């Protein structure tokens, strides 16, 4: 029986991870939000219900986007008086920060960290459900969506890290999944925010995508690079909207693409997902991103290199002063920055061969500062939703952070 297009869209979101505040208060960079009694906000809907204290903030980027950030300052048993290490969790593409809050407290990385004595911050990138505001632009305007992951590196990530540093005076430990790893690696390679980062844990690391083993992913990458999205008139890529529905129909009609088992076809065969957790996920997702962001990811698939957005030779001259976009050289990541990389043998997006390419760029990293974990039966979604991720992955991350306090 063929899977419905709506189901395809929902599963497509689960696959991709690579996810109304009241007003802005405070300084140029941040403000504290108080939500009303209508239950708005991620804290009220997904954190406080489990007995955790949770705070909502807004962070304004230097290009005017207003980002939603959540803070779980302590675990359920208290301990608020002690100095707690800071951890920032960064989600992937087509989802938001709720990615880290899908499982029960004993299986959720965010809540495990809080219960283990960390001060946990959750970021939501521009364009997602709680981060759709701008000081001058409206999310209905095409100009609002004129960005790719380059802008997340230059604007979003530094703004959030600076905000946490100003609030606490402490460096952070960083956790990224999929595209959350990409923006961290590229940022570190340019020396951004290095002075405010203690260590980084990267799950399903995405940097090189040449060996992505999925027919649908390859078709989609070719379509985005071929600018078919311009034909559909998309600035915002909203998986719940009609134009994207038509686009997915087009993808699914291509030879060799099987949309019946879309999740397995894209992410690989996830070993350990709980159906109730997946159901919670699908109730809230997918989230919008910019079409330009997906085009940039598709360029990475096409070119086999990690570089800034390719506008074409003439426009590249205008943007960069050269005909080709500058590359991100991951070999420039400081060798003494503690890194924890965890990847899976069944991951069709973060393929093992592409992770090996990444590791080759890190071959001169200090041996005692690079920790690599390989889980043979894990695929892309397992790292954020598997029932056994707490034992296999999250406890290792906690120990890793403790070693670099």
């Amino acid at each position: 029986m063929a899977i419905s297009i709506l189901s395809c869209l929902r599963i497509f979101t689960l696959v991709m991870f690579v996810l109304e505040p009241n007003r802005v208060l405070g300084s140029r960079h941040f403000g504290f939000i108080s939500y009303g009694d209508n239950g708005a906000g991620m804290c009220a809907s997904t954190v406080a219900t489990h007995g955790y204290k949770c705070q909502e903030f807004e962070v304004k980027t230097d290009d005017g986007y207003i980002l939603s950030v959540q803070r779980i300052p302590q675990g359920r048993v208290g301990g608020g008086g002690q100095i707690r290490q800071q951890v920032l969790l960064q989600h992937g593409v087509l989802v938001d920060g709720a990615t880290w809050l899908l499982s029960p407290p004993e299986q959720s990385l965010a809540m495990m960290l809080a219960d283990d004595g960390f001060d946990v911050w959750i970021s939501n990138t521009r364009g997602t459900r709680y981060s759709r505001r701008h000081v001058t632009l409206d999310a209905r305007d095409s100009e609002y969506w004129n960005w790719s992951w380059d802008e997340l590196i230059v604007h979003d990530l530094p703004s959030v890290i600076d905000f946490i540093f100003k609030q606490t005076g402490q460096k952070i430990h960083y956790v990224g999944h999929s595209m959350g790893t990409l923006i961290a690696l590229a940022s570190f390679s340019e020396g951004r925010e290095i002075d405010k980062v203690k260590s980084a844990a990267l799950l399903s690391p995405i940097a090189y995508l040449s060996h992505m083993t999925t027919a649908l992913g390859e078709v989609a990458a070719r379509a985005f690079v071929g600018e078919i999205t311009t034909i559909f008139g998309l600035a915002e890529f909203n998986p719940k909207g009609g134009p994207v529905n038509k686009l997915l129909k087009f993808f699914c009609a291509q030879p060799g693409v099987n949309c019946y088992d879309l999740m397995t076809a894209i992410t690989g065969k996830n070993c350990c997902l709980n159906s109730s957790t997946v159901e919670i996920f699908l109730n809230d997702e997918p989230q919008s991103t910019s079409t330009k962001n997906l085009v940039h990811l598709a360029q990475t698939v096409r070119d086999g290199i990690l570089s800034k957005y390719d506008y074409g030779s003439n426009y590249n001259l205008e943007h960069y002063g050269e005909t080709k976009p500058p590359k991100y050289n991951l070999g420039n990541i400081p060798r003494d920055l503690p890194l924890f990389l965890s990847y899976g043998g069944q991951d069709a997006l973060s393929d093992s061969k592409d992770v090996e390419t990444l590791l080759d760029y890190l071959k001169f990293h200090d041996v005692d500062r690079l920790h690599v974990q390989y889980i043979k039966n894990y695929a892309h979604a397992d790292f954020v939703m598997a029932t056994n991720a707490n034992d296999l992955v999250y406890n290792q991350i906690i120990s890793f952070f403790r070693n670099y306090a």
Side-chain angles (χ1 to χ4, degrees):
M1 180 177 66
I3 194 166
S4 71
I5 291 298
L6 180 58
S7 295
C8 279
L9 288 170
R10 287 172 172 170
I11 297 174
F12 181 69
T13 303
L14 175 62
V15 161
M16 291 299 291
F17 274 116
V18 177
L19 348 226
E20 288 291 326
N22 294 335
R23 60 193 178 95
V24 184
L25 304 173
S27 76
R28 169 178 173 271
H29 288 289
F30 60 87
F32 181 76
I33 310 169
S34 176
Y35 284 99
D37 296 329
N38 59 1
M42 196 179 298
C43 279
S45 63
T46 58
V47 181
T49 53
H50 292 293
Y52 293 83
K53 292 183 178 180
C54 187
Q55 300 168 340
E56 299 270 3
F57 293 90
E58 286 179 340
V59 175
K60 186 169 67 174
T61 68
D62 56 3
D63 60 345
Y65 288 82
I66 300 171
L67 310 179
S68 172
V69 175
Q70 289 73 41
R71 181 186 192 181
I72 309 175
Q74 61 188 63
R76 287 173 292 186
V77 296
Q82 67 188 58
I83 297 177
R84 303 163 72 86
Q85 295 186 63
Q86 311 301 308
V87 180
L88 172 61
L89 306 182
Q90 177 61 60
H91 62 82
V93 69
L94 291 174
V95 295
D96 64 6
T99 294
W100 306 104
L101 302 165
L102 297 170
S103 301
E106 63 275 6
Q107 296 176 350
S108 159
L109 177 58
M111 289 180 267
M112 285 179 62
L113 285 164
D115 284 335
D116 209 74
F118 292 89
D119 190 347
V120 181
W121 301 79
I122 301 173
S123 177
N124 298 270
T125 58
R126 58 182 67 188
T128 54
R129 149 178 54 176
Y130 299 115
S131 297
R132 292 178 66 86
R133 298 178 63 211
H134 190 278
V135 295
T136 59
L137 300 173
D138 190 285
R140 293 169 292 186
D141 301 333
S142 60
E143 184 59 27
Y144 175 93
W145 300 97
N146 185 22
W147 52 269
S148 79
W149 49 267
D150 281 337
E151 281 67 37
L152 304 185
I153 292 166
V154 174
H155 304 294
D156 287 30
L157 188 58
S159 295
V160 173
I161 292 177
D162 286 350
F163 169 73
I164 296 172
F165 188 78
K166 287 179 180 179
Q167 286 281 302
T168 67
Q170 295 185 51
K171 296 182 178 182
I172 67 160
H173 297 288
Y174 180 92
V175 183
H177 176 250
S178 194
M179 193 181 71
T181 70
L182 171 61
I183 63 174
L185 288 165
S187 179
F188 299 157
S189 75
E190 294 191 330
R192 299 179 185 274
E193 303 301 311
I194 287 294
D195 60 331
K196 299 183 183 72
V197 176
K198 284 185 178 181
S199 69
L202 309 176
L203 310 179
S204 293
I206 294 289
Y208 303 96
L209 295 168
S210 300
H211 297 90
M212 186 172 59
T213 56
T214 159
L216 179 61
E218 292 173 359
V219 167
R222 287 198 302 270
F224 279 110
V225 171
E227 297 183 345
I228 193 171
T229 47
T230 303
I231 298 174
F232 282 89
L234 301 176
E236 173 184 5
F237 189 89
N238 177 7
K240 296 177 181 178
V244 175
N245 193 301
K246 294 179 182 178
L247 187 61
L248 186 60
K249 285 182 179 178
F250 171 81
F251 291 161
C252 290
Q254 301 307 299
V257 177
N258 177 12
C259 283
Y260 177 78
D261 191 5
L262 191 60
M263 185 172 71
T264 296
I266 297 293
T267 63
K269 189 176 181 180
N270 296 283
C271 72
C272 309
L273 303 187
N274 181 296
S275 59
S276 61
T277 301
V278 173
E279 183 177 354
I280 293 171
F281 176 88
L282 296 179
N283 282 337
D284 294 324
E285 309 300 342
Q287 300 291 318
S288 290
T289 189
S290 73
T291 299
K292 185 177 179 180
N293 190 34
L294 295 182
V295 170
H296 195 180
L297 289 169
Q299 290 173 352
T300 305
V301 177
R302 176 196 65 187
D303 300 336
I305 59 175
L306 197 62
S307 67
K308 297 182 185 295
Y309 188 87
D310 189 348
Y311 293 93
S313 57
N314 290 335
Y315 288 107
N316 284 338
L317 274 172
E318 184 179 320
H319 279 271
Y320 308 121
E322 49 189 308
T323 57
K324 293 185 178 181
K327 296 179 182 179
Y328 291 101
N329 184 357
L330 301 190
N332 289 336
I333 295 175
R335 297 178 184 180
D336 60 350
L337 176 66
L339 297 175
F340 175 92
L341 276 66
S342 186
Y343 68 108
Q346 301 300 315
D347 197 329
L349 286 173
S350 177
D351 185 83
S352 296
K353 292 180 181 178
D354 289 324
V355 176
E356 289 169 7
T357 300
L358 167 60
L359 291 173
D360 189 56
Y361 275 91
L362 300 174
K363 61 187 174 184
F364 296 118
H365 212 79
D366 291 354
V367 175
D368 61 343
R369 297 297 177 105
L370 179 61
H371 304 258
V372 180
Q373 179 188 46
Y374 172 74
I375 304 176
K376 184 177 181 180
N377 64 338
Y378 260 34
H380 208 66
D382 284 313
F383 286 93
V384 289
M385 292 200 300
T387 56
N388 58 357
N390 53 349
D391 291 326
L392 293 183
V393 183
Y394 302 160
N395 283 334
Q396 311 307 313
I397 291 174
I398 290 171
S399 296
F400 170 74
F401 288 162
R402 292 291 184 201
N403 287 336
Y404 298 101

